[in-house]
Amino acid sequence: MTDKSADDAQFEVFYAETSRSLWAYLLRTSGMNSIADDLLQESYFRYLKADWPRVEPTERRFYLFRIATNVLHDHFRQQKRSGTAVDPDDVPNTGRNLNLQLDLAGILREDMTAREAQLLWLAYAEGFSHREIARMTGLGENSIRPLLFRAREKLASLLTAAGYDRQNRRRT
Amino acid sequence: MSSLIEECPTEEQLLRALSNDDLIQWSEHVAICSKCDAFISVVQAIRQEAVVSRQVAELPSARWMLLHSEIRRRREAADQVTLPLRWMAGGGFAAGLIVVAAALYAADPTIFLGVPSLTDPTAHTSQPFGVLIAIATTPVMLLVMCVLRVIWAED
């Protein structure tokens, strides 16, 4: 009983630390709000169902993102099998830096492949190492660097075409 | 021209500098190196996007997640436990049909010698129509059960 409460308390802290990052990852990789909501729930369900208290605390974030990556792959596989294409929801926005957000969200969703968006996000938004990304995605560790390089070059040229300078401000 | 300007820093060095807000040490190099400039543009854009995305997320609470996870765990456990019972119920139903067919046959053996040929009224050889139906019922019922099980499992 006490253990369960302690685990629950531990989970609540972990959830507060990770849920927003995980949702952003799922949103920018799947491209849809409603799907990101569903995948977030599924990821935490699987995480809770697994024996998560035995995972080292320092490994838990990686473990969660690995589960979420599997959930994403399952989702894409199911989508491919059923041939269903859902219209993207409105991209959420805030008053801050609205142009960049809308444009980058649109670029990630429409001009980049899901794999490219996923790799860029894991490496630069979440700061995972190439080894961790390889373990999450099932790709070879040596292939992460060139894949990231190509994805980065592509995004850089798309950002330039959209009119951003390095301070992420529109030039036009 | 210093070696800093000539040689590109590693990706890790740039990422560390970005994270520590210490990009100034590479500012001279970045000003003349389009590769590093593009790298920093991409990383900054993604990080900025990440900050905004995290802010707008509308998420259920951790308690909601725990509660629903527990409900789902119990439902899955219950499904697991009742699976043999459901299979037995299906098997019992199929066996019941066979028993009924057998009882009918025992009561009146001609019951399954049913349908005379419609195209040839003179033919007295009848087709074992009832027997075929009785035999076909069991696998059909099993098939229907499997289909329903798959559909329910998806729901």
Side-chain angles (χ1 to χ4, degrees):
Chain A
M1 187 71 187
T2 317
D3 280 347
K4 192 175 182 314
S5 318
D7 283 353
D8 286 358
Q10 226 176 359
F11 174 76
E12 282 178 34
V13 173
F14 178 72
Y15 183 82
E17 285 169 357
T18 55
S19 55
R20 288 181 180 276
S21 302
L22 185 66
W23 187 82
Y25 166 56
L26 294 169
L27 173 68
R28 290 299 164 239
T29 310
S30 71
M32 286 166 232
N33 281 353
S34 55
I35 289 178
D37 290 343
D38 291 346
L39 298 182
L40 180 94
Q41 285 178 29
E42 181 63 28
S43 302
Y44 278 108
F45 286 155
R46 288 193 197 179
Y47 177 81
L48 286 166
K49 197 177 162 186
D51 202 5
W52 67 271
R54 285 197 181 182
V55 178
E56 285 292 314
T58 51
E59 285 278 299
R60 284 180 189 161
R61 186 167 160 275
F62 164 76
Y63 184 60
L64 175 71
F65 273 78
R66 189 176 181 173
I67 290 174
T69 303
N70 288 337
V71 169
L72 260 171
H73 289 175
D74 289 349
H75 163 72
F76 288 132
R77 214 174 297 132
Q78 199 179 5
Q79 214 176 30
K80 207 171 173 182
R81 217 172 26 223
S82 62
T84 51
V86 186
D87 287 335
D89 297 344
D90 290 334
V91 176
N93 56 64
T94 62
R96 282 178 35 162
N97 206 356
L98 187 63
N99 282 339
L100 171 67
Q101 205 227 347
L102 287 174
D103 285 356
L104 187 58
I107 288 169
L108 288 174
R109 192 176 58 239
E110 285 157 23
D111 300 320
M112 309 289 289
T113 65
R115 174 70 84 198
E116 289 167 339
Q118 179 181 46
L119 292 177
L120 287 170
W121 201 270
L122 288 171
Y124 304 130
E126 296 303 330
F128 286 112
S129 67
H130 290 187
R131 175 176 289 187
E132 287 172 321
I133 295 172
R135 282 172 65 198
M136 269 182 219
T137 55
L139 296 167
E141 192 181 334
N142 293 335
S143 61
I144 299 294
R145 191 177 290 276
L147 285 171
L148 261 176
F149 176 77
R150 281 199 289 272
R152 208 168 58 222
E153 294 284 297
K154 186 174 168 184
L155 183 57
S157 64
L158 289 165
L159 283 175
T160 307
Y164 290 105
D165 62 14
R166 200 157 61 74
Q167 279 70 43
N168 290 327
R169 293 197 188 96
R170 264 192 182 287
R171 277 197 289 262
T172 51
Chain B
M1 188 85 36
S2 74
S3 61
L4 272 183
I5 297 174
E6 287 163 5
E7 289 175 24
C8 284
T10 64
E11 193 177 303
E12 287 74 22
Q13 283 175 311
L14 279 178
L15 284 173
R16 209 175 307 125
L18 271 168
S19 299
N20 299 337
D21 219 3
D22 194 20
L23 204 57
I24 196 139
Q25 60 172 314
W26 303 108
S27 57
E28 277 182 74
H29 173 84
V30 169
I32 58 160
C33 177
S34 59
K35 264 177 68 179
C36 291
D37 186 59
F39 176 83
I40 292 169
S41 293
V42 167
V43 175
Q44 280 184 335
I46 289 175
R47 288 190 175 174
Q48 208 166 349
E49 170 66 17
V51 169
V52 178
S53 298
R54 287 170 196 155
Q55 281 172 349
V56 298
E58 290 173 13
L59 304 172
S61 68
R63 287 197 176 279
W64 184 95
M65 201 60 85
L66 282 166
L67 178 71
H68 281 257
S69 172
E70 184 62 18
I71 291 169
R72 187 164 143 170
R73 193 186 63 75
R74 288 186 185 186
R75 197 170 53 206
E76 283 175 1
D79 281 350
Q80 202 70 24
V81 167
T82 55
L83 185 66
L85 288 175
R86 289 201 306 275
W87 278 107
M88 278 176 66
F93 181 68
L97 282 177
I98 293 171
V99 168
V100 168
L104 287 172
Y105 183 76
D108 179 7
T110 60
I111 197 165
F112 290 128
L113 299 177
V115 187
S117 171
L118 293 173
T119 53
D120 183 8
T122 59
H124 292 291
T125 52
S126 56
Q127 298 157 357
F129 195 60
V131 176
L132 285 175
I133 289 177
I135 292 170
T137 303
T138 308
V140 167
M141 287 304 295
L142 284 171
L143 187 68
V144 169
M145 268 171 48
C146 290
V147 170
L148 287 175
R149 213 183 114 61
V150 169
I151 292 169
W152 286 332
E154 279 177 1
D155 287 344

